[in-house]
Amino acid sequence: MSHSTTATTASTSSASLLHPALVKQALAQSIAKLDPRIQWRNPVMFVVYVGSLLTTGLWLASLGDPAVAGGEGSGFMLAIALWLWFTVLFANFAEAMAEGRSKAQAASLRGLKTKAWAKKLEKPQHGSSWHPVQSDELRKGHVVLVEAGDLIPLDGEVIEGVASVDESAITGESAPVIRESGGDFASVTGGTRVLSDWLVLRIAVNPGESFLDRMIAMVEGAKRQKTPNEIALTILLVALTLVFLVVTVTLLPFSLFSVEAAGSGTVVSITALVALLVCLIPTTIGALLSAIGVAGMSRMMQANVIATSGRAVEAAGDVDVLMLDKTGTITLGNRQASRFLPAPGVTEMQLADAAQLASLADETPEGRSIVVLAKQRYGLRERALASLGAHFVPFTAQTRMSGIDLQTASSPLRSIRKGAADAIRRHVEAQGARYPAEVQQAVDDVARLGSTPLIVSDGSRVLGVVELKDIVKGGIKERFAELRRMGIRTVMITGDNKLTAAAIAAEAGVDDFLAEATPEAKLKMIRDYQSEGRLVAMTGDGTNDAPALAQADVAVAMNSGTQAAKEAGNMVDLDSNPTKLLEIVETGKQLLMTRGSLTTFSIANDVAKYFAIIPAMFVGVYPQLQALNVMQLHSPASAILSAVIFNALIIIALIPLALKGVRYRAIGAAALLRRNLAIYGLGGLVVPFIGIKAIDLILVGLHLV
């Protein structure tokens, strides 16, 4: 099986929430995670773990001494103990499922790591002698030769040559990419394969430090560090657990005193107190918190983005400034012909016809767009160059023009040229002709709009201007509007002059722009925003982007970019798609929304449990508490057991939501809070009432209580 097929299969498998292989593995891990050293890492669930041990010990003791069970009976104690163990196991299962998806992704990447032979050069140049070495013997700074069919042994920089490289094993994209020395496309990744030609590489990392090694470490949940928000939430959950622990412990002496003072009633049992504690502490979110974090990184991986840590994913959710490159992100990247502006005495169709003729052999995106526009506007069809007696004149940096010479037996020579305004002006004035002032005015107007003017001439006659426009991507303005509603400020970065940048920024609907951008200017802008307390995200692929990427809170480096950019960023986009930054922010916000929604649901759950357990435990001492039994539960034992069973089952019910994430909506913070409270707050209040009552009816119907 090919690497790309293997990666695709693993990705598909990991995408399934309840894939049988993952479920089987997670069930085994649920048992393995009962190790106290693992349980201790989650304080909330550790309390449940200790409660399970305690109730199990009491049940075993009740088998030898029935008096230990009191009036509840050893069967009740066994049922409580079993469901507490189920609660712990279900929490372990949720975490194991999330980790299993990450480990499946890591396994597919680990399969790409193969020991390969490399051709180590004696001198850093093509043609020098080489000798074979294994890839794990290479070190940073070594120079190797890779030829067609060879695997690239380790990450490196191209110092000589140009070649087509298959990166499908890493990115999943089947189309090969060109890697060459110099520029922003000199970085290569270990494990990819050269398809044609040859490259001389300088190894950039030592074995075990490659991009593939870092990817494997990043996607394995076991190496995930808790994020600041997750740590803060854990502290809150621990504080709530301690409060309820103190309250529960004091209930036993309070119960003893009340029974002694009243001279009647039943003392609350330790089993019931443990059940009360487990139901009141935030076990639902405590059980799912780790799974939510791991699943967030897993979702990022499914989007073909490698995050160096959970911190980067979470920071993406808190970002309030997005800095985006203009070319390829906001615009299509290729200028397109948008309109014809004829000179006085020239019709628009004449200009379009000449412009199309001059572009027939021009394979650049701009040239092809002129042919297409002339066809769309005037139905002008492409013509065969041979039938026109045509000779194509290619563009050169010296003339800054291109065009076509036409001559047939029945017609005189036509010399059609298109190029920059000053180049065409020199061309026609050299022939003694006048350059029309009206054309110069049109050139200035086009430039003022942020477009590029292209002048067309036929011999010494200037025919007019073709406007080449940097086309803003469809739908991008609406996406920026969504981000604005979320409170995120968008900033366009471009090397264009301020006039051009302002025109494109206005059309795209960004909030701000940085024109004539330099590495220093990008860095200063990021620091200025951060000094205002904002979190900044940006994309980059070049070495000149590295300082800004290192400074940004969320820095997405393109996989096709330089090694310096990838090392400076805290995320790497395997697809090298600059617009992925928008998806990254959405994934980060989905992580925060999921955690917030399930926390709201978990805390709201406790209210219903009060009405189930408190009356059941103390109605023997205070009969007036029967008024709080709004669910009309069958008996105290049924009420306690129903609450414990619901507490365990709700964890299993919420695992798919924790792994998949709460659906992301681009709405403001206030609207999001209202929606969160309406769905998960109200739902957290209503669902337990229904669930606990249903379980009570089932237990009574089966005569289990």
Side-chain angles (χ1 to χ4, degrees), residues 688-705:
F689 279 94
I690 299 172
I692 292 173
K693 179 61 179 177
I695 294 171
D696 175 72
L697 293 174
I698 293 171
L699 292 176
V700 173
L702 297 175
H703 305 291
L704 297 177
V705 291

Side-chain angles (χ1 to χ4, degrees), residues 113 383 470:
K113 290 189 63 179
R383 285 149 285 185
D470 209 349

Side-chain angles (χ1 to χ4, degrees), residues 256-526:
L256 289 169
F257 172 78
S258 299
V259 170
E260 184 178 344
S264 63
T266 305
V267 176
V268 177
S269 68
I270 294 178
T271 302
L273 287 173
V274 171
L276 174 66
L277 175 62
V278 169
C279 289
L280 295 189
I281 63 177
T283 50
T284 306
I285 187 61
L288 298 173
L289 186 59
S290 180
I292 294 169
V294 176
M297 293 186 68
S298 180
R299 282 195 297 273
M300 199 69 79
M301 180 62 185
Q302 288 169 19
N304 250 12
V305 176
I306 299 296
T308 58
S309 70
R311 291 172 183 266
V313 180
E314 187 173 273
D318 284 329
V319 157
D320 45 20
V321 176
L322 285 183
M323 296 180 65
L324 306 116
D325 280 329
K326 181 203 75 173
T327 306
T329 305
I330 295 173
T331 65
L332 294 175
N334 296 319
R335 295 173 302 170
Q336 305 284 313
S338 60
R339 58 176 176 156
F340 298 107
L341 302 171
V346 180
T347 67
E348 195 170 326
M349 187 170 181
Q350 287 175 319
L351 171 60
D353 181 59
Q356 187 189 59
L357 285 170
S359 305
L360 287 177
D362 186 352
E363 293 300 329
T364 65
E366 293 87 351
R368 301 314 301 164
S369 71
I370 292 174
V371 174
V372 171
L373 183 64
K375 179 180 177 181
Q376 290 175 342
R377 291 281 178 87
Y378 303 105
L380 298 173
R381 301 286 175 178
E382 295 187 41
R383 285 149 285 185
L385 295 177
S387 65
L388 298 172
H391 170 69
F392 179 64
V393 179
F395 176 88
T396 66
Q398 291 73 31
T399 63
R400 297 178 64 200
M401 296 185 301
S402 66
I404 194 169
D405 290 334
L406 306 174
Q407 187 170 25
T408 62
S410 59
S411 62
L413 174 69
R414 289 184 66 190
S415 180
I416 303 175
R417 296 290 183 270
K418 60 182 174 71
D422 55 344
I424 296 293
R425 183 169 194 158
R426 288 194 299 269
H427 175 69
V428 298
E429 288 179 348
Q431 300 178 59
R434 185 182 70 87
Y435 185 80
E438 295 85 353
V439 170
Q440 185 58 46
Q441 181 62 46
V443 168
D444 295 339
D445 292 342
V446 167
R448 197 172 296 111
L449 293 172
S451 301
T452 301
L454 194 68
I455 314 302
V456 180
S457 67
D458 188 349
S460 61
R461 184 187 185 192
V462 177
L463 300 180
V465 180
V466 179
E467 179 183 1
L468 297 178
K469 189 175 181 182
D470 209 349
I471 304 297
V472 173
K473 288 184 176 180
I476 198 76
K477 188 169 187 177
E478 288 73 20
R479 294 198 73 176
F480 288 152
E482 289 181 5
L483 293 171
R484 193 174 298 108
R485 286 195 295 272
M486 294 159 49
I488 297 177
R489 184 177 180 83
T490 51
V491 181
M492 182 185 78
I493 304 174
T494 177
D496 292 337
N497 61 60
K498 292 183 179 180
L499 193 64
T500 301
I504 295 175
E507 185 178 355
V510 295
D511 299 304
D512 197 2
F513 65 89
L514 176 64
E516 300 172 347
T518 62
E520 294 78 11
K522 295 178 190 177
L523 190 60
K524 182 180 183 302
M525 176 172 271
I526 291 175

